[in-house]
Amino acid sequence: MAVVANELPKVRRSPTNTKIKRDTHSKRLARIGWAFSTPALLFVALVTIFPIGFSLALSLSNVSVTGNGFSLQGFTFSNYYELLNSSTWRYAMEFTVFYTIATVLVELILGTAIALILERLTKGRGPMMALLLLPWSMITVISAELWQYIYEGTYGVLQSMFSAVGLGSPVFLGSPTPAVVSMMVADIWKTTPFVAVIVVAGLVMLPSEVFEAAAVDGASSWTTFWRITFPLLRPTIAIAVLFRILQAFGLFDLPFVLTGGGPGTSTTSLALLSYKVMFQNIDYGPGAAVAVSATLLVIVGSLLFLRVFKAQVGKEELQ
Amino acid sequence: MKINSNNPEKKGRNKKCGEIVLTFASLALVLAACGSSSTASSNPPSASATSGNLTWWASPIAQVGIRADLISNFEKAYPKIHVTLQSAPTNTDTNRSQLVTEISGGSTSPDVFMGDVIWPAQFGAHGLAVPLSKYLPSSYFTKFAPGLVSGATYNGQVYGSPLFEDQGFLYYRKDLLAKANLPVPTTWSQLESESLTLEHDGLVQYGYVWEGASYEGLTCNFMEYLASAGGTVTNSTYTKANLTSPSAVKAVTFMRSLVTSGASPAAVTTFQEPQAMAVFDSGNAAFLRNWDYAWSNSQTPADSKVVGEVGVAPLPTFTGNSYPGYSNIGGWNLYINPHSKNLAIDLTFIKWMSSTAAQDILGKTYSEIPTVESVRLALASLSSTPPPLKIAAQTKLVPRPAGTPNYPALSSAIYSNVNSALSGSTSVNAALASAQSKAATALAGGI
């Protein structure tokens, strides 16, 4: 936008003088802007960049925790080497990646479907949106406690429902696959509304002309969705997916409350593993390395996603 | 996203970014170095510390009011010492992580903290607690019940002064056993068969409930079966794990059989103490393995449908061994923060907490198991003493293998794999092989 604004005077008035004036003015404005935002930026840097930098420093040193504080000795890759040789880390990594892909995919499909319904609602969209946001607005620790009641193995709601229809008395959090699926359901229940709300916002912004043209051409609603709605929604979906990847990768509170990482270690995510290694084992070097590995993976995942997404948009534009 | 290296403006920006990153990285390192502060003075504390202030960090002990009661009695004995209670998180791991952050950050507060019996090696190795044996004579430690001081020792130094003890008990339904004309089980297989009989007779929904979730409590349960089967987790020097031994196989095979035979519900693999206790207190189980506090819960009408129907016994053993079986040691010690400025007062407080007066309050008023042997024996002989405290004097105790600073990782190797075997997602042998390899990694300091 700034470029366009600077180019406008060229066309309209005597070019150079105004441009120089404007440039000086905008430069001054920019300087004032920086001056005003510096305290806030410094604060943000302090609470975000510093911990990341510190984690990185911890992960690349021999850290010993003593009564006198952390002591970081030397530069070493041994913490990362330890991770690569650890089956616990490998499993946590695979689990976190799998969990992220599976939940984000399901949330995307369900969220988009809910958004399409909401967009068509002529009455009561507001109250429906509010209801939809309830799970999302609930603190995960609390909703996880509620899911605990549902999944509980002796008096749980879900078990009673299963046994009422003759499906036995399964213990949902008792063995790996059901526990992972149960946790995913709890996650999808909570975060699908987030995707839906973002997609609804995208849907209402779409130009109505293209849909009218499609209707005139006799396109079916299926064709309209895949040929018009979905391609136009891509930027919105990209934002929703990016946010969800970032959050899903940090999976911590749900397994912390619901399963403690079990059964066995089947629901131990990278974040939970990092917590355990750092704060239970008091092993800060490898713990920080787990945290950094999670950060790296999420950055790579997000960049890959954006790349694929950009490539697709580029192709569309070429066609 | 591609960076054009020919663009000088971008080059400059990248350089700047690099500088910012470097600045923060070095800032991080500088701050880390700043973390080093002076340690507590190693001067011996004065002998007569009877005035001053101290903060005591303690999580809520099973019943409300214990901490305040102890403090007010201490302040009566030492009117010039003022104790401030810092309430710690009830979750032991959260409790520990907060303490580690505070103490390693150089905080002078709390002065004294109440910590788990499995912390001495970890806290001792990291210098997060004062070696008490440097300041207290060896005669101070002889009054405690056997096993407690050795559990609080690491590298020849005692780090914790035992405050109250806890251990595993077998709770049973007196009414159900009487109806079915069954004795209190003394062997594990008897416990299993009686559970099945009571279930088949329709007297109760579940036989035996215990703590089988993938967490520290499962290590406690496992230790009891393992000790009964004659096994140990590691060698005495903590250099080699013994988790594939025939004893370990016998222990886990039996634990799994409790689930497969139906003597224990399948959900036992998700149970921690509260869940197991809830099932028993609601009248849905005949037997419960739990700690001392489960007694008062089972006798509180608001929480329990089985008031007056509960009996307590030591845990069973495997057939062929002498009864009783082994109970795992739990409980809490008092430790001193190495940065405390009030070492002498801290020691006065700790000494008072192991006095007959304090131990009597813990035992008589609040049914906690005293750590001082003489108080424990005196209590056991009183008719008004709650059953777990009477039985505590007869049980055999087994500690967890917490003599290594790597205990949390070692315990995790045990409970996560035993839990897998219990749920049937791996065979007993495969689970123990995995536990063995993870325990070896843990003992070597790995994750």
Side-chain angles (χ1 to χ4, degrees):
Chain A
M1 293 301 279
V3 178
V4 176
N6 284 340
E7 280 171 355
L8 281 176
K10 273 188 199 169
V11 189
R12 286 183 190 163
R13 283 177 221 142
S14 61
T16 41
N17 229 355
T18 329
K19 191 175 179 251
I20 290 169
K21 262 187 191 170
R22 285 217 165 197
D23 274 1
T24 345
H25 182 64
S26 62
K27 267 185 190 166
R28 217 176 68 209
L29 269 184
R31 239 177 278 139
I32 295 172
W34 276 108
F36 275 116
S37 24
T38 305
L41 287 176
L42 276 178
F43 182 72
V44 171
L46 199 73
V47 297
T48 58
I49 300 175
F50 173 71
I52 295 174
F54 191 53
S55 294
L56 199 62
L58 283 177
S59 72
L60 290 168
S61 324
N62 290 312
V63 188
S64 41
V65 180
T66 67
N68 304 322
F70 291 109
S71 99
L72 280 70
Q73 284 148 359
F75 176 86
T76 175
F77 281 110
S78 65
N79 295 324
Y80 289 97
Y81 184 71
E82 198 177 309
L83 290 198
L84 294 175
N85 284 317
S86 159
S87 59
T88 313
W89 177 79
R90 266 202 307 279
Y91 177 82
M93 195 262 290
E94 287 162 10
F95 167 69
T96 312
V97 170
F98 166 73
Y99 182 89
T100 303
I101 294 173
T103 52
V104 172
L105 203 65
V106 175
E107 283 158 16
L108 184 65
I109 294 167
L110 282 180
T112 310
I114 292 171
L116 286 169
I117 295 169
L118 274 182
E119 201 242 350
R120 278 166 175 71
L121 275 186
T122 44
K123 272 184 192 171
R125 194 197 289 172
M128 283 305 289
M129 293 269 271
L131 271 181
L132 196 65
L133 277 175
L134 265 182
W136 172 248
S137 59
M138 207 182 272
I139 297 165
T140 313
V141 170
I142 294 171
S143 65
E145 288 286 356
L146 297 176
W147 279 101
Q148 182 89 51
Y149 279 112
I150 295 174
Y151 291 139
E152 214 282 332
T154 49
Y155 53 81
V157 179
L158 198 60
Q159 195 188 51
S160 305
M161 286 162 74
F162 267 63
S163 62
V165 294
L167 290 172
S169 306
V171 181
F172 297 95
L173 302 176
S175 37
T177 310
V180 170
V181 173
S182 301
M183 218 168 72
M184 284 178 166
V185 170
D187 196 329
I188 290 164
W189 169 82
K190 184 179 158 61
T191 43
T192 300
F194 171 78
V195 178
V197 168
I198 291 188
V199 176
V200 165
L203 276 174
V204 294
M205 302 265 282
L206 296 185
S208 55
E209 297 85 6
V210 278
F211 290 97
E212 282 158 16
V216 169
D217 287 347
S220 68
S221 40
W222 188 247
T223 318
T224 313
F225 175 76
W226 283 113
R227 293 292 180 89
I228 299 172
T229 316
F230 187 68
L232 288 176
L233 265 184
R234 273 197 177 140
T236 314
I237 287 175
I239 290 173
V241 169
L242 262 187
F243 270 108
R244 285 300 307 131
I245 290 180
L246 293 175
Q247 281 176 332
F249 233 88
L251 175 72
F252 178 83
D253 31 19
L254 209 48
F256 185 79
V257 175
L258 215 49
T259 59
T265 51
S266 58
T267 57
T268 303
S269 62
L270 283 174
L272 191 59
L273 178 67
S274 172
Y275 167 80
K276 285 186 170 181
V277 175
M278 278 200 182
F279 297 111
Q280 290 183 12
N281 301 5
I282 318 187
D283 223 352
Y284 279 76
V290 176
V292 172
S293 74
T295 314
L296 284 179
L297 276 169
V298 75
I299 290 174
V300 168
S302 302
L303 288 180
L304 261 178
F305 170 76
L306 276 180
R307 217 192 165 99
V308 169
F309 171 78
K310 265 193 176 172
Q312 280 192 351
V313 171
K315 240 187 257 167
E316 297 260 328
E317 279 171 359
L318 284 176
Q319 283 166 3
Chain B
M1 294 305 286
K2 272 185 192 166
I3 295 166
N4 185 349
S5 54
N6 293 328
N7 184 336
E9 192 188 321
K10 281 193 176 172
K11 247 188 184 175
R13 211 188 298 155
N14 288 334
K15 202 178 158 195
K16 263 188 189 164
C17 283
E19 279 170 6
I20 292 171
V21 170
L22 274 178
T23 313
F24 274 104
S26 44
L27 184 68
L29 287 168
V30 168
L31 281 180
C34 289
S36 303
S37 61
S38 61
T39 38
S41 81
S42 53
N43 299 330
S46 66
S48 56
T50 51
S51 68
N53 294 313
L54 83 90
T55 49
W56 179 34
W57 165 282
S59 52
I61 306 169
Q63 292 181 51
V64 181
I66 304 186
R67 295 172 302 177
D69 201 355
L70 286 169
I71 288 173
S72 78
N73 276 283
F74 172 75
E75 287 178 342
K76 264 181 216 159
Y78 292 90
K80 287 184 181 165
I81 299 181
H82 176 68
V83 179
T84 309
L85 175 69
Q86 268 187 304
S87 197
T90 43
N91 179 308
T92 309
D93 289 327
T94 318
N95 186 339
R96 171 172 49 194
S97 63
Q98 281 194 20
L99 271 174
V100 170
T101 311
E102 283 190 33
I103 298 174
S104 63
S107 172
T108 54
S109 161
D111 294 294
V112 176
F113 57 94
M114 190 176 94
D116 201 297
V117 291
I118 54 171
W119 292 359
Q122 203 179 22
F123 276 59
H126 291 289
L128 299 169
V130 168
L132 298 178
S133 41
K134 263 191 181 173
Y135 303 103
L136 294 169
S138 55
S139 59
Y140 171 80
F141 296 102
T142 53
K143 62 180 171 184
F144 295 105
L148 299 182
V149 174
S150 66
T153 305
Y154 172 67
N155 260 357
Q157 297 281 356
V158 188
Y159 286 89
S161 173
L163 177 63
F164 64 91
E165 197 239 289
D166 212 336
Q167 59 188 61
F169 290 102
L170 179 71
Y171 294 90
Y172 60 91
R173 287 278 300 280
K174 289 191 285 191
D175 55 331
L176 298 180
L177 290 187
K179 262 187 209 168
N181 204 16
L182 293 169
V184 177
T186 55
T187 65
W188 289 118
S189 55
Q190 196 184 0
L191 174 70
E192 186 172 23
S193 68
E194 289 189 10
S195 294
L196 291 170
T197 308
L198 291 167
E199 284 175 24
H200 293 157
D201 290 356
L203 290 170
V204 72
Q205 191 179 359
Y206 306 117
Y208 178 42
V209 288
W210 41 287
E211 297 80 37
S214 185
Y215 82 119
E216 181 64 26
L218 177 55
T219 303
C220 302
N221 278 250
F222 168 74
M223 286 311 299
E224 289 161 352
Y225 296 99
L226 182 71
S228 275
T232 54
V233 172
T234 65
N235 60 358
S236 60
T237 50
Y238 291 97
T239 49
K240 197 178 156 292
N242 292 330
L243 288 166
T244 44
S245 68
S247 307
V249 175
K250 183 177 179 183
V252 181
T253 306
F254 176 74
M255 292 167 88
R256 168 72 181 148
S257 84
L258 285 170
V259 179
T260 50
S261 70
S264 295
V268 86
T269 60
T270 63
F271 281 2
Q272 297 191 7
E273 286 88 351
Q275 288 88 1
M277 203 155 69
V279 172
F280 184 77
D281 288 351
S282 62
N284 291 328
F287 301 103
L288 163 75
R289 183 264 173 218
N290 216 312
W291 305 95
D292 165 65
Y293 56 76
W295 168 258
S296 52
N297 269 62
S298 74
Q299 300 307 306
T300 310
D303 300 333
S304 168
K305 289 183 184 166
V306 292
V307 178
E309 310 287 8
V310 180
V312 189
L315 288 165
T317 185
F318 281 108
T319 316
N321 297 347
S322 66
Y323 179 75
Y326 285 90
S327 293
N328 182 240
I329 304 177
W332 294 76
N333 295 337
L334 291 177
Y335 302 84
I336 296 178
N337 177 354
H339 304 293
S340 170
K341 302 276 184 223
N342 312 310
L343 193 53
I345 303 169
D346 302 344
L347 290 169
T348 306
F349 182 66
I350 281 187
K351 280 194 264 183
W352 184 82
M353 285 293 217
S354 65
S355 68
T356 311
Q359 293 281 310
D360 256 348
I361 295 174
L362 281 164
K364 280 186 187 158
T365 320
Y366 296 104
S367 307
E368 298 295 341
I369 304 171
T371 48
V372 173
E373 182 76 345
S374 58
V375 178
R376 188 185 283 198
L377 292 174
L379 264 180
S381 63
L382 293 176
S383 59
S384 58
T385 302
L389 271 72
K390 286 190 171 178
I391 288 162
Q394 315 163 14
T395 46
K396 281 188 223 155
L397 295 174
V398 58
R400 278 163 276 169
T404 160
N406 302 315
Y407 173 71
L410 177 64
S411 178
S412 172
I414 296 170
Y415 65 68
S416 60
N417 287 296
V418 173
N419 178 263
S420 293
L422 292 178
S423 68
S425 52
T426 39
S427 70
V428 169
N429 285 325
L432 285 171
S434 166
Q436 172 76 8
S437 105
K438 293 231 166 98
T441 311
L443 289 174
I447 60 170

